[in-house]
Amino acid sequence: MSLDSESSPSSSRDWFFPPQSFVQSYPAKSQTYIRRFSETSRISRRYADHQRYRKSSSCISDSHSCSSTSNDAKFARTRRRIDFDRRSDLSLKRSELEFSSKRKLEQSDVSSSAKKVSDTSRLFRSFDSTLKVRWRFLAIAASIFIVIFATLLHENSSLQEQVNGLEARISNLNIKLRACNLFDSGSEDDVRSPDELADFMDKRLKTLALITSLTLLLAPIIILKYIDSKSRSLEHNLEEISLNKQLLYKVDVFFSVHPYAKPLALLIATLQLIMLGGLALFGVTDDSLVDCLWLSWTYVADSGNHANSEGIGPRLVSVSVSFGGMLIFAMMLGLVSDSISERFDSLRKGRSEVVEQNHTLILGWSDKLGSLLNQISIANESLGGGTVVVMAERDKEEMELDIAKMEFDFKGTSVICRSGSPLILADLKKVSVSKARAIVVIAEDGNADQSDARALRTVLSLTGVKEGLRGHIVVELSDLDNELLVKLVGGELVETVVAHDVIGRLMIQCARQPGLAQIWEDILGFENCEFYIKRWPQLNGMQFEDVLISFPDAIPCGIKVASRGGKIVLNPEDSYVLQEGDEVLVIAEDDDTYAPAALPTVGETSFIHIARPTRKPQKILLCGWRRDIDDMIVVLDAFLAPGSELWMFNDVPENEREKKLVDGGLDISRLENISLVDREGNAVIRRHLESLPLESFDSILILADESVEDSAIQADSRSLATLLLIRDIQAKRMPVRGAKTVTYRGSVSQGSWIGEMQQASDKSVIISEILDPRTKNLLSMSKISDYVLSNELVSMALAMVAEDRQINDVLEELFAEEGNELHIRQADLYLREGEELSFYEVLLRARQRREIVIGYRSAHAERAVINPPAKHERRKWYLGDVFVVIAEKE
């Protein structure tokens, strides 16, 4: 590229010339400075052109020197730009002379200079566009060069790969040639063709495969023989363990520790058989190795495929592989059969996990289980059924068989049995203990202390569940002394029901008030009416006397006071006003069968003032010995009038009784109302009973003796025999004409022995503790005893507390020595003979005595009616009727 000062006015040194518009816009003084600078630059340019001309004229003869001079001229502008100050010294001196002589001419040439500046700018732009075009050309050329270079590089790499492949083939051919030379007979003239060489190599390979398969097959046998021989040589050395035993131990541990060891061993054996059979078939047939492996698999999978084999070798191998396949198939069938059997055995024995929520969990097994399941099923009937899970240390099939023998109608409730221990957390998780809405711990049959100790350990296990418990725990205990310890361990989650204590208190109440056992059955059981607690905001601000008659289908009995921490107050004052958050305790048929309604119109009730008779001393006989008899004595001392006598007749020696009573916590000196009379004898021997004044006792309590309480049938047989002997002795000692007949018990023949016993029962009350429900039917038909079905009543209490833990506070107060309890009152306390009153009116008359009437029994009826319907309707009452009330203890 040639650079000429004349032909290239847009050179790099002229970039600083301003355009004409810029020059004209400056004032005159600024324009003068610009003109001076422009003239100086022009003179410098002319001087440089003159010097370049002189140098170029001297380089015509020598092309090389001319070229270098031209190159110097090419880069002259750059050098002048860099060394501007040094080169411009001489030029400035000359330019100053010319500038002084031509100052006048510059003033006239301002317009022409501006025009030149404009031309210079235009030329500069044209040069810039030319430079861009050249740069684009260079970029296109570079791209073409890169593409050509990449193509050549790819071709070179392809050729290199082909060369490498040819070298590899040559190397393989050389190896084969050396192998042929090794097996050659030594004759250089004997040259084989490629096909012959390939056949020869194939035969050698098949021989090697056959030898390998035989070696792998015989190697385990040889190793086992060697181990067995070494084991026999070490038998005399007792300190060292033989290698055979060590190997067997390792195999045993492997199969015991790893659950999938058997399937893995079977898979490895199958693969080994397929591999060995494939290698053997490859050695005796002309097929490829892949085809032989596939053929070996077909022999293993189907032993009949070997029938198409031809030749001795293929047939021998195919038969061997087929025989091995049959063994593997037999082992596989055994393994699958064992796995299925174990699974079904696990299901049959109750080892599988229970996936349930909001179910009732029962831990333990006893004779009370049947009644408990029946009561829970009745309670769940209104919900369409529920789920009850029973876990005990028994076989699952035995539990299911025993439950099926109970012949209860579970009314849609599913009963699931599982075998396990409640003391093991893994077994508790198996029955979804953390998701149960209630957990019932049943006291096992046997020693009371051992049973309570096991219940305590069970509560400890339940409190140790990491997931926590959603529901509450209901624990049945046998001894009242252990109740405090269980509550201390379980805390707020635990509700206790002391079976012996409950039954003992019930027996005492029933002895004082005959017929109360049937009322307790109706209230505790879910078949009729039971206790319910619910909040009714529409009753807030209403007095309790109005709340009493606000429920057509229920009878209010108390209030759960929110301001007192949720304490349940039975039989509150009439003036108590319901506050926000208070709940009403009622007796109703079900929790969804009652609701408050508008207040009915009840007539004025007249107060009948009848003084209650004072309590008279009583004479009571206790037949048998219980572990909690000391507690029963304390309760009797609180209930009976001063001067009463308590006769204890059992086979415990008299000199040991006082010691046992003192060990149980009884202080005989503190007894205020009763005196103890001890008699020793056997309650099932007639002559021993005849020594007692049986006709003089007001009440006789026949206890399930401690010596036979572990067996319900034995205890009931003993109680029943004692009952019949006592009634017979009473009937013989009392004349028939003196017997009192009660009409509601029904008419019987006066000459029969049952009739005589019934007449004797009118004189004194006999309460029998019955453990087996089957004994109930016999006593109810004979009507010779006011029985107490202890196991069934305890089961009812457990079921009721399991459904609603708040009911336990109500039951504890009704069974306690102080507070309120159930009473049977004569009708003459509330009405006159033949008076027509509605039940609401009788209820309000009873409130004048601070009593709540919950039911009645007509003179000619056998059972009481709790929570009667149509309470607003009037009916005629008689003095032979009795009312069931909740009142304070007398």
Side-chain angles (χ1 to χ4, degrees):
M1 175 178 175
S2 63
L3 297 173
D4 190 20
S5 61
E6 296 295 330
S7 61
S8 302
S10 60
S11 61
S12 61
R13 70 175 181 269
D14 295 334
W15 63 274
F16 48 78
F17 284 93
Q20 184 176 1
S21 60
F22 178 81
V23 173
Q24 293 176 358
S25 65
Y26 274 82
K29 188 175 181 179
S30 299
Q31 293 179 3
T32 302
Y33 290 145
I34 293 173
R35 283 196 301 272
R36 289 179 182 177
F37 188 73
S38 299
E39 185 61 28
T40 303
S41 299
R42 190 160 40 254
I43 293 171
S44 299
R45 184 180 60 192
R46 289 178 181 177
Y47 176 76
D49 293 341
H50 177 70
Q51 293 294 332
R52 186 172 67 253
Y53 178 74
R54 288 179 60 186
K55 291 180 181 180
S56 62
S57 62
S58 62
C59 295
I60 298 174
S61 60
D62 192 354
S63 60
H64 180 71
S65 60
C66 182
S67 174
S68 61
T69 303
S70 176
N71 292 332
D72 293 338
K74 182 185 301 183
F75 300 99
R77 296 168 185 167
T78 306
R79 287 197 298 271
R80 282 197 299 270
R81 182 182 300 173
I82 298 172
D83 302 327
F84 180 78
D85 293 335
R86 180 174 56 82
R87 290 187 178 185
S88 62
D89 292 339
L90 182 59
S91 299
L92 287 174
K93 292 179 181 180
R94 293 180 181 177
S95 64
E96 286 176 357
L97 295 175
E98 292 179 2
F99 181 76
S100 61
S101 63
K102 295 181 180 180
R103 180 178 294 176
K104 294 180 181 181
L105 295 174
E106 289 178 0
Q107 295 177 357
S108 61
D109 296 332
V110 173
S111 61
S112 63
S113 297
K115 185 177 182 181
K116 288 181 179 181
V117 171
S118 177
D119 295 338
T120 302
S121 178
R122 186 171 57 256
L123 291 174
F124 177 75
R125 287 194 297 270
S126 65
F127 173 75
D128 189 20
S129 62
T130 304
L131 185 62
K132 290 181 179 179
V133 171
R134 292 180 179 180
W135 274 109
R136 290 177 181 173
F137 176 75
L138 289 175
I140 294 172
S143 301
I144 294 173
F145 175 75
I146 291 172
V147 172
I148 294 173
F149 180 77
T151 304
L152 293 176
L153 186 62
H154 177 69
E155 292 293 336
N156 186 20
S157 62
S158 300
L159 292 175
Q160 185 65 32
E161 290 179 358
Q162 293 179 6
V163 169
N164 293 336
L166 292 175
E167 289 178 355
R169 292 181 62 186
I170 291 172
S171 177
N172 293 332
L173 291 175
N174 289 332
I175 292 172
K176 290 184 179 181
L177 183 60
R178 292 193 193 96
C180 293
N181 290 334
L182 289 175
F183 292 100
D184 197 1
S185 61
S187 176
E188 296 180 358
D189 297 334
D190 189 9
V191 180
R192 299 179 182 179
S193 63
D195 295 337
E196 292 177 350
L197 290 175
D199 294 339
F200 180 77
M201 292 300 299
D202 188 52
K203 290 180 181 179
R204 294 294 180 183
L205 188 61
K206 291 180 179 296
T207 303
L208 181 62
L210 185 59
I211 293 173
T212 302
S213 63
L214 292 175
T215 302
L216 294 175
L217 183 62
L218 296 175
I221 300 175
I222 297 174
I223 293 173
L224 291 176
K225 287 292 184 182
Y226 173 76
I227 293 174
D228 185 60
S229 62
K230 294 291 289 182
S231 301
R232 291 179 181 178
S233 63
L234 294 175
E235 286 180 355
H236 301 286
N237 192 353
L238 300 178
E239 295 182 357
E240 296 184 7
I241 301 176
S242 63
L243 186 61
N244 189 15
K245 291 183 179 180
Q246 293 181 8
L247 182 60
L248 291 176
Y249 173 73
K250 294 294 183 183
V251 173
D252 185 28
V253 170
F254 176 76
F255 279 95
S256 301
V257 172
H258 300 85
Y260 299 103
K262 293 180 181 179
L264 182 62
L266 186 61
L267 177 62
I268 294 175
T270 304
L271 294 177
Q272 287 181 349
L273 180 61
I274 293 173
M275 183 183 67
L276 293 177
L279 290 176
L281 289 173
F282 181 70
V284 297
T285 60
D286 296 334
D287 297 334
S288 63
L289 181 61
V290 176
D291 294 338
C292 290
L293 290 174
W294 174 255
L295 190 61
S296 176
W297 156 247
T298 59
Y299 291 160
V300 172
D302 188 2
S303 59
N305 289 333
H306 70 278
N308 298 326
S309 301
E310 296 180 357
I312 297 177
R315 288 179 178 176
L316 182 62
V317 173
S318 62
V319 169
S320 301
V321 174
S322 299
F323 183 73
M326 287 188 291
L327 292 179
I328 289 178
F329 184 72
M331 288 188 294
M332 182 182 66
L333 284 179
L335 181 62
V336 173
S337 177
D338 291 342
S339 177
I340 295 175
S341 298
E342 289 178 0
R343 184 60 180 171
F344 278 100
D345 187 62
S346 176
L347 295 175
R348 180 176 57 83
K349 293 184 177 181
R351 298 172 184 170
S352 60
E353 185 176 357
V354 175
V355 185
E356 292 287 348
Q357 291 184 357
N358 296 323
H359 58 285
T360 302
L361 176 61
I362 301 176
L363 301 178
W365 188 278
S366 70
D367 295 334
K368 309 178 189 67
L369 182 65
S371 301
L372 180 60
L373 291 176
N374 185 34
Q375 294 299 320
I376 295 176
S377 302
I378 297 172
N380 293 333
E381 184 180 7
S382 61
L383 303 176
T387 303
V388 180
V389 181
V390 181
M391 186 177 75
E393 297 183 30
R394 298 185 61 193
D395 187 72
K396 176 176 177 288
E397 292 182 336
E398 294 180 0
M399 291 190 288
E400 292 176 346
L401 184 60
D402 291 342
I403 292 174
K405 291 179 179 178
M406 295 175 184
E407 298 181 355
F408 287 123
D409 182 11
F410 293 120
K411 304 180 185 301
T413 297
S414 302
V415 181
I416 301 173
C417 297
R418 286 293 180 269
S419 179
S421 173
L423 306 179
I424 302 175
L425 289 178
D427 291 344
L428 291 176
K429 292 180 180 179
K430 184 174 62 178
V431 292
S432 300
V433 64
S434 60
K435 300 177 181 178
R437 65 183 179 91
I439 304 168
V440 182
V441 181
I442 301 179
E444 297 184 354
D445 299 331
N447 185 272
D449 292 332
Q450 294 179 0
S451 176
D452 290 351
R454 185 174 183 82
L456 179 62
R457 294 197 299 269
T458 303
V459 173
L460 282 173
S461 300
L462 292 173
T463 55
V465 177
K466 295 182 180 180
E467 295 81 1
L469 300 178
R470 180 185 301 179
H472 59 283
I473 306 172
V474 183
V475 183
E476 179 196 358
L477 297 176
S478 301
D479 196 337
L480 186 63
D481 298 333
N482 300 322
E483 182 181 19
L484 182 61
L485 183 59
V486 173
K487 287 186 176 181
L488 181 64
V489 171
E492 297 180 355
L493 289 174
V494 174
E495 297 289 341
T496 58
V497 176
V498 185
H500 279 65
D501 184 64
V502 170
I503 297 306
R505 293 174 184 272
L506 277 176
M507 292 184 68
I508 294 173
Q509 289 186 10
C510 295
R512 294 170 52 241
Q513 304 180 79
L516 199 59
Q518 176 260 318
I519 296 172
W520 270 113
E521 284 186 8
D522 292 343
I523 293 177
L524 291 178
F526 285 96
E527 295 94 338
N528 299 307
C529 295
E530 52 273 355
F531 291 105
Y532 293 101
I533 300 177
K534 191 178 294 187
R535 180 180 302 173
W536 302 97
Q538 60 268 39
L539 300 180
N540 292 340
M542 186 180 296
Q543 292 184 351
F544 183 73
E545 62 178 353
D546 296 329
V547 175
L548 278 172
I549 58 176
S550 297
F551 293 89
D553 300 313
I555 298 178
C557 302
I559 301 295
K560 182 181 178 182
V561 184
S563 60
R564 298 175 61 179
K567 178 179 176 57
I568 298 177
V569 179
L570 281 175
N571 191 16
E573 296 284 347
D574 288 342
S575 59
Y576 179 80
V577 179
L578 267 69
Q579 305 295 327
E580 180 70 25
D582 289 351
E583 300 181 28
V584 181
L585 170 68
V586 302
I587 294 180
E589 185 176 357
D590 209 339
D591 57 350
D592 57 352
T593 60
Y594 71 99
L599 291 176
T601 303
V602 181
E604 292 292 334
T605 57
S606 58
F607 178 72
I608 302 178
H609 180 72
I610 299 179
R612 294 179 181 176
T614 58
R615 293 188 300 171
K616 296 179 181 180
Q618 297 184 12
K619 193 175 181 180
I620 297 178
L621 172 65
L622 288 180
C623 289
W625 185 272
R626 284 168 44 127
R627 59 177 294 105
D628 61 341
I629 195 170
D630 53 321
D631 297 326
M632 295 183 66
I633 293 174
V634 173
V635 175
L636 283 170
D637 184 66
F639 282 145
L640 297 179
S644 301
E645 292 183 0
L646 178 62
W647 289 54
M648 293 190 299
F649 179 73
N650 49 70
D651 54 2
V652 178
E654 296 183 11
N655 55 355
E656 296 181 6
R657 293 182 189 179
E658 185 175 356
K659 183 177 180 300
K660 286 189 175 183
L661 293 176
V662 173
D663 292 340
L666 176 64
D667 188 358
I668 301 178
S669 62
R670 288 192 172 185
L671 298 177
E672 299 177 355
N673 299 327
I674 62 175
S675 59
L676 301 181
V677 179
D678 293 325
R679 290 291 185 269
E680 183 178 350
N682 194 337
V684 295
I685 299 178
R686 185 181 182 93
R687 68 175 182 273
H688 291 175
L689 290 173
E690 288 179 345
S691 63
L692 301 174
L694 298 177
E695 68 280 0
S696 63
F697 291 110
D698 297 295
S699 299
I700 300 175
L701 278 67
I702 302 176
L703 308 178
D705 199 86
E706 185 181 18
S707 59
V708 293
E709 67 177 355
D710 295 344
S711 174
I713 296 177
Q714 266 191 316
D716 289 350
S717 300
R718 185 182 180 91
S719 299
L720 185 59
T722 303
L723 171 64
L724 294 176
L725 288 174
I726 291 175
R727 284 304 189 199
D728 184 60
I729 295 173
Q730 287 179 339
K732 294 291 190 295
R733 292 180 180 179
M734 292 185 296
V736 176
R737 61 180 181 274
K740 298 180 181 178
T741 304
V742 181
T743 55
Y744 74 87
R745 290 183 176 270
S747 58
V748 293
S749 174
Q750 298 290 330
S752 65
W753 65 273
I754 293 183
E756 295 177 356
M757 290 184 179
Q758 287 182 3
Q759 294 177 17
S761 66
D762 297 333
K763 175 66 177 177
S764 62
V765 177
I766 298 181
I767 306 297
S768 302
E769 182 180 3
I770 302 301
L771 304 181
D772 193 346
R774 289 173 291 185
T775 315
K776 169 186 176 182
N777 299 327
L778 179 60
L779 292 179
S780 61
M781 290 176 61
S782 62
K783 300 176 183 179
I784 57 176
S785 171
D786 252 334
Y787 63 91
V788 174
L789 192 61
S790 62
N791 275 354
E792 189 169 359
L793 287 176
V794 173
S795 301
M796 291 176 179
L798 290 172
M800 184 166 289
V801 178
E803 291 297 318
D804 190 354
R805 63 181 305 180
Q806 303 175 101
I807 305 301
N808 197 28
D809 296 334
V810 180
L811 298 180
E812 287 181 354
E813 181 174 350
L814 293 176
F815 293 150
E817 296 89 350
E818 298 179 354
N820 293 273
E821 67 173 349
L822 291 179
H823 292 272
I824 297 179
R825 301 292 194 198
Q826 296 295 324
D828 57 1
L829 293 176
Y830 314 105
L831 49 85
R832 300 178 179 84
E833 177 72 22
E835 188 174 5
E836 291 188 1
L837 297 172
S838 65
F839 186 80
Y840 279 141
E841 293 174 342
V842 177
L843 184 62
L844 294 180
R845 286 189 179 183
R847 287 306 296 167
Q848 297 174 359
R849 298 178 176 275
R850 187 70 185 282
E851 298 173 350
I852 299 177
V853 180
I854 63 173
Y856 64 89
R857 186 182 67 194
S858 299
H860 302 283
E862 295 185 2
R863 300 185 66 87
V865 179
I866 306 298
N867 183 29
K871 299 179 179 62
H872 61 282
E873 295 181 359
R874 287 175 169 263
R875 55 158 293 179
K876 184 176 291 187
W877 302 93
Y878 302 95
L879 295 181
D881 301 337
V882 294
F883 291 95
V884 183
V885 302
I886 296 178
E888 292 184 356
K889 293 180 173 61
E890 300 174 354

